[in-house]
Amino acid sequence: MTLLDALRDVPTRLRNAARQVPTDDIDERDLDIDSSAHAAAGATAVTVALRRAVGQMGVRRTGSALLRLNQVDGFDCQGCAWPDPAPGHRHTAEFCENGAKAVAEEATKELLDREFFATHSVADLSDRSEFWLGKQGRITEPMVLRPGATHYTPISWDDAFATMAGHLTGLASPDEAVFYTSGKASNEAAFTFQLFARELGTNNLPDCSNMCHESSGSALTETIGIGKGSVSLDDVHRAKLIVVVGQNPGTNHPRMLSALEEAKANGARIISVNPLEEAGLVRFKNPQHAKGLTVGTALADLHLPVRLNGDLALFQAIGHLLVEWDALDHDFLSRYTTGFTEYVAHVADLDWDKVEASTGLSREQVTEAARMFADSPATVTCWAMGITQHHNAVATIKEIVNVALLRGDIGKPGAGLCPVRGHSNVQGDRTMGIWERVPDHFLDAIRDEFGFEPPREHGYDTVNAIRALRDGKVKVFMALGGNFVGATPDTDATEAAMRQADLTVHVSTKLNRSHVVHGREALILPALGRSEKDLTGGIVQRVTVEDSMSAVHASHGPLEPASPHLRSEVDIICSLALATLPDSTVPWAAMRADYREIRRRIARVVPGCASYDDKVEQPGGFVLPHPPRDNRIFETDSGRAVITSTPLEVLDVPPGRLLLQTLRSHDQFNTTIYGLDDRYRGVKGGRRVVFVHPADIDELGFRDGDQIDLVSEWEDDVSRIARDFRIVSYDQPRGCAAAYYPEANPLVPLDSTADKSNQPVYKSLVVRLERPGTATGGDGGGSADQGSGSSRTDTPHHMA
Ligand SMILES: Nc1nc2c(c(=O)[nH]1)N[C@H]1C(S)=C(S)[C@@H](COP(=O)(O)OP(=O)(O)OC[C@H]3O[C@@H](n4cnc5c(=O)[nH]c(N)nc54)[C@H](O)[C@@H]3O)O[C@H]1N2
Ligand SMILES: Nc1nc2c(c(=O)[nH]1)N[C@H]1C(S)=C(S)[C@@H](COP(=O)(O)OP(=O)(O)OC[C@H]3O[C@@H](n4cnc5c(=O)[nH]c(N)nc54)[C@H](O)[C@@H]3O)O[C@H]1N2
Ligand SMILES: [Mo]
């Protein structure tokens, strides 16, 4: 049965699917490990998708939602930023298992009303896991936590806006307010949000991008003059080599696997660079057609099990070999680049011992990969969090750029750089000015359009916002979506910082940790989700979004809203502005009444968006300009693409320690835990696991299945502890380990950030394993620290 058959079959097969609201929290004693190998997607994915969808949304909503998902006249999937095929090339069921889960999570029939908040005190809620909180259902009306109160109580929208306006207008400086954005916000919401912050007088606009692809933005802007990827979906289909580095598409961008499959059918070869052999890249069954369900494809032709943080060395070594073999695009290099001569000198004395120590790969493996680059006339290199969340992430991405420049792989069909974005509109939010360091020309355009002078001083990014909260410099924290305390590093420190605020405000769909770790006063403002009809101002409103490949298109939801009291994000922002800024020069009421008024302003303010409202109306929307991709124009200081030379350093780990990455299971969206089934890695029923190589388990004196505490070590000598994890034997390079985010976030030091991008280092933490009770110091704390503490020894040996 294909995805489409399954959808048609929903009413008969799955009418009785069980509701999924847990009454009890996770019991890690139920954790089960299954060591058999799993193919990505396939028939199981179809079944899981439908069971979750029907279980949460019911039969009728499942049908109307999923058949409109990613369709030209439908709504954009909240699941990830992978682009949609051209309008004529979409499937009737154009979504994946995890997209269906994302929709189900939002469009659930479970509702969270005022009785819920009357029953559960904030203290009670702060003992629950993210999983439990999220599963309680959609928030249905605005709620307030008054100073000193134990429970959230209902508040009218007008009183909520008046409360916020009171706090904001009472600040000593607008810079005492912080406005955070998560990447689900539409372009219209993002544009109005940054406009409000700037009219109020601050550039304090941190966003989830600070934790996500900030390193990509830094590296690409410095080297090619624009912080976005240079490929289209068509380029992926036409590439002759696709390199997937530090990314797990089978879980996080499942529709990318279909694109890889198509590329392969067109003759592409694929290299996967990853410490883990992720299921999607090695075994894929395409659920879009019947044959694909049973016949799996091995997508990757070469898998390089790189040691964590070894990618800089890997790409420098590949560059070295390409120079040595003279496998270079000399015409491109001389016409468009600078820095080549220095680079040739730099890589000439490459230290292979260091390369092998850093990558954990043999010289033969590296040479085989370099050969594939040399043989390919058009290469696309994709990357995600496995690259961006390291201390040297910016330098690593510049090394990836070097290799692309050596081969002339920019601005050529079938070739290019492809940072694969996470949240469905995280790239659009940046385009719309959600950025604490937006360039002056953008601020000039705001001034010219709206007639006020925006602040010029740079604002706080995510990490600096936490520091400022901690230091008492921020009094009001407002979030447009997301789960700030759940997603950010150093959970203990961050939670303590957040409690310092006078007012915390969350525009949200579902409950999460950030609602229960609050300032002196707190507001929850429930928003419409993307799957829901938005009738603000009495007309059908559309919003627009931008995918990972700079394509912008319209989206509008088909479903009845979860509650009549919900408001759209645009409505909430414009209403707040009207309450806060009585002398405003911005037409807030008109923009709220008709979002086309916002789009008319976007057209005049945002580069590349002329005639925006007309262009987004076209089926499939339009693609934003990208000078390197379109014309090989590089808007850097020198007017050329920059080849960079970076010294090669090996990340040393002291004896008895492991290098830990934090990553996503197959059953979560960031801090939203869909379920407890990381199917491809064989973990079921729990999440507090740490994957370790069997020989390392042995060498460290533990056994598979042992219960341990994780303790991270960093230069500040603070012991950061996350308790009650179970060791799971798992194949990966020696010395490496992995645990799930957000459970492992207490281990990430706030000050451990990437050079230049200030992005938290989530993927290479030095940790030690300790027997329960022996670790002392700070506690993992909060929701991240629940666990039964019991141990089981009868676990199957799990080494994929
Ligand atoms: N279903 C689902 N979809 C999602 C999300 C989700 O949580 N769930 N999140 C969304 C968001 S916001 C984002 S940013 C993306 C995230 O998408 P990914 O970046 O795929 O997410 P992670 O789970 O962090 O996976 C990181 C991958 O990089 C590998 N890796 C880790 N360190 C290294 C390294 O040093 N070198 C190399 N070469 N590889 C390394 C890991 O083994 C893992 O396979 O997905 C988006 N889509
Ligand atoms: N250790 C570790 N930490 C990480 C990462 C990692 O790999 N490892 N990855 C980082 C990355 S890449 C990212 S992007 C961040 C993610 O950080 P965030 O974007 O802040 O976190 P999410 O978990 O995606 O936010 C989920 C919440 O968003 C709200 N929400 C969902 N849909 C909507 C909507 O339509 N409107 C509104 N207003 N609210 C909505 C819900 O209330 C939900 O609880 O986390 C980062 N943190
Ligand atoms: Mo992300």
mmCIF file of all heavy atoms in Angstrom, residues 106 180 182 184 208 211-212 385 389 423 480-484 487 507-512 527-529 569 662 664 669-672 741 745 762-763, ligand 2:
data_model
loop_
_atom_site.group_PDB
_atom_site.id
_atom_site.type_symbol
_atom_site.label_atom_id
_atom_site.label_comp_id
_atom_site.label_asym_id
_atom_site.label_seq_id
_atom_site.Cartn_x
_atom_site.Cartn_y
_atom_site.Cartn_z
ATOM 1 N N GLU A 106 -0.129 19.236 15.706
ATOM 2 C CA GLU A 106 -0.769 20.561 15.739
ATOM 3 C C GLU A 106 -2.289 20.450 15.669
ATOM 4 O O GLU A 106 -3.016 21.156 16.372
ATOM 5 C CB GLU A 106 -0.267 21.402 14.557
ATOM 6 C CG GLU A 106 -0.985 22.738 14.414
ATOM 7 C CD GLU A 106 -0.432 23.560 13.264
ATOM 8 O OE1 GLU A 106 0.774 23.857 13.260
ATOM 9 O OE2 GLU A 106 -1.211 23.889 12.343
ATOM 10 N N TYR A 180 12.147 36.774 20.812
ATOM 11 C CA TYR A 180 12.679 35.543 20.206
ATOM 12 C C TYR A 180 11.695 34.987 19.161
ATOM 13 O O TYR A 180 10.480 35.055 19.366
ATOM 14 C CB TYR A 180 12.892 34.500 21.311
ATOM 15 C CG TYR A 180 13.241 33.101 20.828
ATOM 16 C CD1 TYR A 180 14.513 32.820 20.330
ATOM 17 C CD2 TYR A 180 12.310 32.062 20.901
ATOM 18 C CE1 TYR A 180 14.840 31.531 19.896
ATOM 19 C CE2 TYR A 180 12.628 30.770 20.482
ATOM 20 C CZ TYR A 180 13.899 30.512 19.980
ATOM 21 O OH TYR A 180 14.213 29.241 19.566
ATOM 22 N N SER A 182 10.858 31.483 16.726
ATOM 23 C CA SER A 182 11.128 30.122 16.276
ATOM 24 C C SER A 182 10.717 30.033 14.807
ATOM 25 O O SER A 182 9.830 30.756 14.359
ATOM 26 C CB SER A 182 10.332 29.138 17.133
ATOM 27 O OG SER A 182 10.329 27.868 16.543
ATOM 28 N N LYS A 184 8.889 28.565 12.777
ATOM 29 C CA LYS A 184 7.614 28.214 12.144
ATOM 30 C C LYS A 184 6.840 29.457 11.755
ATOM 31 O O LYS A 184 5.858 29.376 11.017
ATOM 32 C CB LYS A 184 6.764 27.391 13.108
ATOM 33 C CG LYS A 184 6.921 25.901 12.880
ATOM 34 C CD LYS A 184 6.040 25.097 13.814
ATOM 35 C CE LYS A 184 6.587 23.689 13.896
ATOM 36 N NZ LYS A 184 6.099 22.963 15.062
ATOM 37 N N CYS A 208 15.778 30.929 16.499
ATOM 38 C CA CYS A 208 16.290 29.562 16.558
ATOM 39 C C CYS A 208 17.439 29.375 15.578
ATOM 40 O O CYS A 208 18.255 28.481 15.737
ATOM 41 C CB CYS A 208 15.170 28.556 16.320
ATOM 42 S SG CYS A 208 14.513 28.600 14.647
ATOM 43 N N MET A 211 20.861 28.918 16.760
ATOM 44 C CA MET A 211 21.271 27.591 17.242
ATOM 45 C C MET A 211 21.343 26.583 16.100
ATOM 46 O O MET A 211 21.616 25.412 16.311
ATOM 47 C CB MET A 211 20.254 27.082 18.273
ATOM 48 C CG MET A 211 20.121 27.953 19.486
ATOM 49 S SD MET A 211 18.884 27.291 20.625
ATOM 50 C CE MET A 211 17.412 28.155 20.127
ATOM 51 N N CYS A 212 21.046 27.027 14.890
ATOM 52 C CA CYS A 212 20.756 26.083 13.807
ATOM 53 C C CYS A 212 21.732 26.234 12.634
ATOM 54 O O CYS A 212 22.663 25.464 12.508
ATOM 55 C CB CYS A 212 19.305 26.306 13.398
ATOM 56 S SG CYS A 212 18.637 25.099 12.282
ATOM 57 N N MET A 385 23.058 19.926 11.008
ATOM 58 C CA MET A 385 23.554 20.206 12.356
ATOM 59 C C MET A 385 24.843 19.476 12.726
ATOM 60 O O MET A 385 25.566 19.905 13.619
ATOM 61 C CB MET A 385 22.474 19.886 13.393
ATOM 62 C CG MET A 385 21.200 20.695 13.268
ATOM 63 S SD MET A 385 21.462 22.469 13.295
ATOM 64 C CE MET A 385 21.370 22.876 11.542
ATOM 65 N N GLN A 389 27.101 22.729 14.454
ATOM 66 C CA GLN A 389 27.090 22.832 15.918
ATOM 67 C C GLN A 389 28.403 22.386 16.558
ATOM 68 O O GLN A 389 28.418 21.597 17.498
ATOM 69 C CB GLN A 389 25.907 22.033 16.485
ATOM 70 C CG GLN A 389 24.557 22.579 15.992
ATOM 71 C CD GLN A 389 23.365 21.791 16.479
ATOM 72 O OE1 GLN A 389 23.481 20.609 16.789
ATOM 73 N NE2 GLN A 389 22.204 22.428 16.532
ATOM 74 N N HIS A 423 13.669 24.243 10.638
ATOM 75 C CA HIS A 423 12.286 24.693 10.736
ATOM 76 C C HIS A 423 11.804 25.135 9.349
ATOM 77 O O HIS A 423 12.550 25.718 8.574
ATOM 78 C CB HIS A 423 12.210 25.895 11.675
ATOM 79 C CG HIS A 423 11.859 25.539 13.085
ATOM 80 N ND1 HIS A 423 10.690 24.894 13.417
ATOM 81 C CD2 HIS A 423 12.499 25.774 14.262
ATOM 82 C CE1 HIS A 423 10.633 24.748 14.742
ATOM 83 N NE2 HIS A 423 11.723 25.261 15.275
ATOM 84 N N LEU A 480 7.903 34.342 19.933
ATOM 85 C CA LEU A 480 6.955 34.018 18.872
ATOM 86 C C LEU A 480 7.189 32.550 18.528
ATOM 87 O O LEU A 480 8.007 32.209 17.686
ATOM 88 C CB LEU A 480 7.209 34.930 17.666
ATOM 89 C CG LEU A 480 6.269 34.792 16.477
ATOM 90 C CD1 LEU A 480 4.848 35.169 16.860
ATOM 91 C CD2 LEU A 480 6.736 35.678 15.319
ATOM 92 N N GLY A 481 6.513 31.668 19.247
ATOM 93 C CA GLY A 481 6.686 30.228 19.055
ATOM 94 C C GLY A 481 7.938 29.711 19.739
ATOM 95 O O GLY A 481 8.660 30.442 20.420
ATOM 96 N N GLY A 482 8.185 28.421 19.561
ATOM 97 C CA GLY A 482 9.399 27.806 20.075
ATOM 98 C C GLY A 482 9.327 27.428 21.542
ATOM 99 O O GLY A 482 8.284 27.543 22.202
ATOM 100 N N ASN A 483 10.473 26.973 22.023
ATOM 101 C CA ASN A 483 10.599 26.519 23.412
ATOM 102 C C ASN A 483 11.984 26.910 23.871
ATOM 103 O O ASN A 483 12.910 26.100 23.878
ATOM 104 C CB ASN A 483 10.389 25.006 23.461
ATOM 105 C CG ASN A 483 10.496 24.445 24.871
ATOM 106 O OD1 ASN A 483 10.713 25.172 25.833
ATOM 107 N ND2 ASN A 483 10.352 23.139 24.986
ATOM 108 N N PHE A 484 12.126 28.174 24.207
ATOM 109 C CA PHE A 484 13.444 28.768 24.440
ATOM 110 C C PHE A 484 14.240 28.018 25.500
ATOM 111 O O PHE A 484 15.386 27.647 25.264
ATOM 112 C CB PHE A 484 13.279 30.246 24.813
ATOM 113 C CG PHE A 484 14.546 31.025 24.831
ATOM 114 C CD1 PHE A 484 15.090 31.520 23.653
ATOM 115 C CD2 PHE A 484 15.227 31.272 26.023
ATOM 116 C CE1 PHE A 484 16.270 32.253 23.662
ATOM 117 C CE2 PHE A 484 16.410 32.004 26.037
ATOM 118 C CZ PHE A 484 16.927 32.493 24.855
ATOM 119 N N ALA A 487 15.220 24.412 24.328
ATOM 120 C CA ALA A 487 16.098 24.237 23.170
ATOM 121 C C ALA A 487 17.500 24.782 23.386
ATOM 122 O O ALA A 487 18.441 24.371 22.718
ATOM 123 C CB ALA A 487 15.477 24.922 21.947
ATOM 124 N N VAL A 507 3.873 33.114 22.668
ATOM 125 C CA VAL A 507 2.844 32.899 21.660
ATOM 126 C C VAL A 507 3.019 31.454 21.210
ATOM 127 O O VAL A 507 4.047 31.105 20.623
ATOM 128 C CB VAL A 507 3.026 33.860 20.463
ATOM 129 C CG1 VAL A 507 1.961 33.603 19.412
ATOM 130 C CG2 VAL A 507 3.023 35.300 20.930
ATOM 131 N N SER A 508 2.061 30.600 21.532
ATOM 132 C CA SER A 508 2.292 29.159 21.390
ATOM 133 C C SER A 508 1.055 28.426 20.913
ATOM 134 O O SER A 508 -0.067 28.930 21.040
ATOM 135 C CB SER A 508 2.669 28.540 22.745
ATOM 136 O OG SER A 508 3.732 29.226 23.337
ATOM 137 N N THR A 509 1.273 27.225 20.445
ATOM 138 C CA THR A 509 0.171 26.327 20.134
ATOM 139 C C THR A 509 0.011 25.263 21.221
ATOM 140 O O THR A 509 -1.096 24.912 21.594
ATOM 141 C CB THR A 509 0.416 25.620 18.793
ATOM 142 O OG1 THR A 509 1.734 25.075 18.813
ATOM 143 C CG2 THR A 509 0.271 26.591 17.627
ATOM 144 N N LYS A 510 1.152 24.737 21.694
ATOM 145 C CA LYS A 510 1.141 23.657 22.669
ATOM 146 C C LYS A 510 1.978 24.056 23.887
ATOM 147 O O LYS A 510 2.884 24.873 23.788
ATOM 148 C CB LYS A 510 1.770 22.383 22.044
ATOM 149 C CG LYS A 510 1.143 21.895 20.756
ATOM 150 C CD LYS A 510 -0.176 21.189 20.934
ATOM 151 C CE LYS A 510 -0.104 19.780 21.461
ATOM 152 N NZ LYS A 510 0.403 18.783 20.520
ATOM 153 N N LEU A 511 1.673 23.370 24.970
ATOM 154 C CA LEU A 511 2.397 23.610 26.218
ATOM 155 C C LEU A 511 3.813 23.042 26.130
ATOM 156 O O LEU A 511 4.021 21.959 25.571
ATOM 157 C CB LEU A 511 1.631 22.901 27.338
ATOM 158 C CG LEU A 511 1.788 23.415 28.765
ATOM 159 C CD1 LEU A 511 1.412 24.885 28.855
ATOM 160 C CD2 LEU A 511 0.899 22.586 29.696
ATOM 161 N N ASN A 512 4.769 23.748 26.705
ATOM 162 C CA ASN A 512 6.124 23.202 26.797
ATOM 163 C C ASN A 512 6.831 23.782 28.019
ATOM 164 O O ASN A 512 6.264 24.574 28.763
ATOM 165 C CB ASN A 512 6.909 23.440 25.497
ATOM 166 C CG ASN A 512 7.122 24.924 25.203
ATOM 167 O OD1 ASN A 512 7.489 25.688 26.092
ATOM 168 N ND2 ASN A 512 6.888 25.314 23.964
ATOM 169 N N ALA A 527 -1.984 30.648 19.650
ATOM 170 C CA ALA A 527 -2.046 31.093 18.251
ATOM 171 C C ALA A 527 -2.621 30.010 17.349
ATOM 172 O O ALA A 527 -2.539 28.819 17.653
ATOM 173 C CB ALA A 527 -0.644 31.457 17.770
ATOM 174 N N LEU A 528 -3.172 30.457 16.235
ATOM 175 C CA LEU A 528 -3.582 29.535 15.174
ATOM 176 C C LEU A 528 -2.343 28.841 14.630
ATOM 177 O O LEU A 528 -1.288 29.461 14.520
ATOM 178 C CB LEU A 528 -4.213 30.306 14.016
ATOM 179 C CG LEU A 528 -5.585 30.943 14.232
ATOM 180 C CD1 LEU A 528 -5.911 31.832 13.027
ATOM 181 C CD2 LEU A 528 -6.647 29.857 14.391
ATOM 182 N N GLY A 529 -2.464 27.573 14.260
ATOM 183 C CA GLY A 529 -1.377 26.883 13.583
ATOM 184 C C GLY A 529 -1.555 26.994 12.074
ATOM 185 O O GLY A 529 -2.587 27.460 11.586
ATOM 186 N N GLU A 569 -0.888 34.783 14.575
ATOM 187 C CA GLU A 569 0.313 35.457 15.074
ATOM 188 C C GLU A 569 0.333 36.911 14.613
ATOM 189 O O GLU A 569 0.684 37.817 15.382
ATOM 190 C CB GLU A 569 1.557 34.709 14.589
ATOM 191 C CG GLU A 569 1.679 33.331 15.239
ATOM 192 C CD GLU A 569 2.797 32.487 14.669
ATOM 193 O OE1 GLU A 569 3.299 32.800 13.569
ATOM 194 O OE2 GLU A 569 3.164 31.493 15.320
ATOM 195 N N THR A 662 24.656 15.555 20.596
ATOM 196 C CA THR A 662 23.243 15.472 20.959
ATOM 197 C C THR A 662 22.442 15.544 19.674
ATOM 198 O O THR A 662 22.724 16.375 18.809
ATOM 199 C CB THR A 662 22.849 16.643 21.870
ATOM 200 O OG1 THR A 662 23.041 17.875 21.164
ATOM 201 C CG2 THR A 662 23.684 16.649 23.133
ATOM 202 N N ARG A 664 18.602 14.185 17.278
ATOM 203 C CA ARG A 664 17.165 13.950 17.300
ATOM 204 C C ARG A 664 16.833 12.473 17.118
ATOM 205 O O ARG A 664 17.471 11.792 16.304
ATOM 206 C CB ARG A 664 16.514 14.731 16.153
ATOM 207 C CG ARG A 664 16.591 16.223 16.352
ATOM 208 C CD ARG A 664 16.536 16.991 15.043
ATOM 209 N NE ARG A 664 16.458 18.421 15.296
ATOM 210 C CZ ARG A 664 17.504 19.200 15.584
ATOM 211 N NH1 ARG A 664 18.729 18.690 15.625
ATOM 212 N NH2 ARG A 664 17.349 20.488 15.820
ATOM 213 N N PHE A 669 10.054 16.430 17.184
ATOM 214 C CA PHE A 669 10.429 17.602 16.414
ATOM 215 C C PHE A 669 11.061 18.572 17.396
ATOM 216 O O PHE A 669 10.378 19.230 18.171
ATOM 217 C CB PHE A 669 9.248 18.273 15.691
ATOM 218 C CG PHE A 669 9.727 19.317 14.720
ATOM 219 C CD1 PHE A 669 9.946 18.996 13.392
ATOM 220 C CD2 PHE A 669 10.035 20.590 15.147
ATOM 221 C CE1 PHE A 669 10.461 19.944 12.513
ATOM 222 C CE2 PHE A 669 10.545 21.536 14.274
ATOM 223 C CZ PHE A 669 10.753 21.226 12.952
ATOM 224 N N ASN A 670 12.356 18.637 17.375
ATOM 225 C CA ASN A 670 13.087 19.451 18.350
ATOM 226 C C ASN A 670 12.610 19.094 19.751
ATOM 227 O O ASN A 670 12.664 17.933 20.129
ATOM 228 C CB ASN A 670 12.958 20.944 18.032
ATOM 229 C CG ASN A 670 13.530 21.267 16.657
ATOM 230 O OD1 ASN A 670 14.349 20.519 16.160
ATOM 231 N ND2 ASN A 670 13.114 22.354 16.059
ATOM 232 N N THR A 671 12.068 20.055 20.506
ATOM 233 C CA THR A 671 11.674 19.728 21.876
ATOM 234 C C THR A 671 10.285 19.116 21.952
ATOM 235 O O THR A 671 9.824 18.755 23.034
ATOM 236 C CB THR A 671 11.715 20.978 22.784
ATOM 237 O OG1 THR A 671 10.683 21.873 22.373
ATOM 238 C CG2 THR A 671 13.065 21.678 22.697
ATOM 239 N N THR A 672 9.582 19.028 20.828
ATOM 240 C CA THR A 672 8.276 18.370 20.816
ATOM 241 C C THR A 672 8.497 16.875 20.619
ATOM 242 O O THR A 672 9.017 16.453 19.585
ATOM 243 C CB THR A 672 7.400 18.922 19.674
ATOM 244 O OG1 THR A 672 7.207 20.321 19.885
ATOM 245 C CG2 THR A 672 6.061 18.206 19.625
ATOM 246 N N TYR A 741 18.688 15.092 22.276
ATOM 247 C CA TYR A 741 18.321 16.470 22.624
ATOM 248 C C TYR A 741 16.826 16.438 22.846
ATOM 249 O O TYR A 741 16.147 15.723 22.132
ATOM 250 C CB TYR A 741 18.777 17.340 21.440
ATOM 251 C CG TYR A 741 17.907 18.462 20.923
ATOM 252 C CD1 TYR A 741 17.585 19.557 21.708
ATOM 253 C CD2 TYR A 741 17.433 18.440 19.604
ATOM 254 C CE1 TYR A 741 16.821 20.592 21.187
ATOM 255 C CE2 TYR A 741 16.682 19.482 19.094
ATOM 256 C CZ TYR A 741 16.374 20.551 19.892
ATOM 257 O OH TYR A 741 15.640 21.578 19.392
ATOM 258 N N ASN A 745 20.690 18.586 27.071
ATOM 259 C CA ASN A 745 21.042 20.011 27.050
ATOM 260 C C ASN A 745 21.673 20.549 28.334
ATOM 261 O O ASN A 745 22.449 21.503 28.268
ATOM 262 C CB ASN A 745 19.829 20.867 26.657
ATOM 263 C CG ASN A 745 19.528 20.753 25.169
ATOM 264 O OD1 ASN A 745 19.604 19.668 24.622
ATOM 265 N ND2 ASN A 745 19.211 21.851 24.532
ATOM 266 N N TYR A 762 26.670 21.931 20.273
ATOM 267 C CA TYR A 762 25.807 20.829 20.701
ATOM 268 C C TYR A 762 26.325 19.461 20.238
ATOM 269 O O TYR A 762 25.751 18.444 20.579
ATOM 270 C CB TYR A 762 24.410 20.983 20.096
ATOM 271 C CG TYR A 762 23.545 22.122 20.609
ATOM 272 C CD1 TYR A 762 23.035 23.070 19.719
ATOM 273 C CD2 TYR A 762 23.186 22.220 21.948
ATOM 274 C CE1 TYR A 762 22.190 24.085 20.151
ATOM 275 C CE2 TYR A 762 22.351 23.232 22.385
ATOM 276 C CZ TYR A 762 21.849 24.163 21.491
ATOM 277 O OH TYR A 762 21.015 25.159 21.921
ATOM 278 N N LYS A 763 27.346 19.455 19.370
ATOM 279 C CA LYS A 763 27.712 18.187 18.749
ATOM 280 C C LYS A 763 29.105 17.686 19.113
ATOM 281 O O LYS A 763 29.524 16.673 18.571
ATOM 282 C CB LYS A 763 27.598 18.311 17.207
ATOM 283 C CG LYS A 763 26.171 18.513 16.681
ATOM 284 C CD LYS A 763 25.344 17.237 16.680
ATOM 285 C CE LYS A 763 24.073 17.341 15.862
ATOM 286 N NZ LYS A 763 22.952 18.017 16.553
HETATM 287 N N1 LIG B 2 21.249 19.842 22.431
HETATM 288 C C1 LIG B 2 20.735 20.364 21.314
HETATM 289 N N2 LIG B 2 19.996 21.482 21.386
HETATM 290 C C2 LIG B 2 19.478 22.015 20.265
HETATM 291 C C3 LIG B 2 19.705 21.411 19.002
HETATM 292 C C4 LIG B 2 20.498 20.228 18.949
HETATM 293 O O1 LIG B 2 20.727 19.633 17.876
HETATM 294 N N3 LIG B 2 20.989 19.730 20.118
HETATM 295 N N4 LIG B 2 19.168 21.976 17.873
HETATM 296 C C5 LIG B 2 18.882 23.409 17.892
HETATM 297 C C6 LIG B 2 18.061 23.778 16.730
HETATM 298 S S1 LIG B 2 18.683 23.326 15.210
HETATM 299 C C7 LIG B 2 16.906 24.466 16.822
HETATM 300 S S2 LIG B 2 16.149 25.015 15.397
HETATM 301 C C8 LIG B 2 16.332 24.825 18.139
HETATM 302 C C9 LIG B 2 14.793 24.774 18.150
HETATM 303 O O2 LIG B 2 14.304 25.641 19.076
HETATM 304 P P1 LIG B 2 12.763 26.125 19.055
HETATM 305 O O3 LIG B 2 12.344 26.461 17.684
HETATM 306 O O4 LIG B 2 12.657 27.202 20.088
HETATM 307 O O5 LIG B 2 12.018 24.852 19.628
HETATM 308 P P2 LIG B 2 10.843 23.902 19.134
HETATM 309 O O6 LIG B 2 11.001 22.674 19.952
HETATM 310 O O7 LIG B 2 10.848 23.727 17.672
HETATM 311 O O8 LIG B 2 9.516 24.677 19.617
HETATM 312 C C10 LIG B 2 8.368 23.936 19.890
HETATM 313 C C11 LIG B 2 7.238 24.794 20.397
HETATM 314 O O9 LIG B 2 6.809 25.704 19.404
HETATM 315 C C12 LIG B 2 5.437 26.012 19.586
HETATM 316 N N5 LIG B 2 4.781 26.014 18.278
HETATM 317 C C13 LIG B 2 4.656 24.990 17.414
HETATM 318 N N6 LIG B 2 4.013 25.399 16.297
HETATM 319 C C14 LIG B 2 3.721 26.707 16.469
HETATM 320 C C15 LIG B 2 3.071 27.693 15.673
HETATM 321 O O10 LIG B 2 2.625 27.444 14.562
HETATM 322 N N7 LIG B 2 2.982 28.944 16.199
HETATM 323 C C16 LIG B 2 3.462 29.257 17.422
HETATM 324 N N8 LIG B 2 3.356 30.507 17.853
HETATM 325 N N9 LIG B 2 4.062 28.344 18.202
HETATM 326 C C17 LIG B 2 4.203 27.099 17.724
HETATM 327 C C18 LIG B 2 4.837 24.939 20.455
HETATM 328 O O11 LIG B 2 4.337 25.560 21.629
HETATM 329 C C19 LIG B 2 5.992 23.985 20.722
HETATM 330 O O12 LIG B 2 6.003 23.542 22.048
HETATM 331 O O13 LIG B 2 16.859 23.927 19.140
HETATM 332 C C20 LIG B 2 18.267 23.912 19.202
HETATM 333 N N10 LIG B 2 18.708 23.130 20.346
#
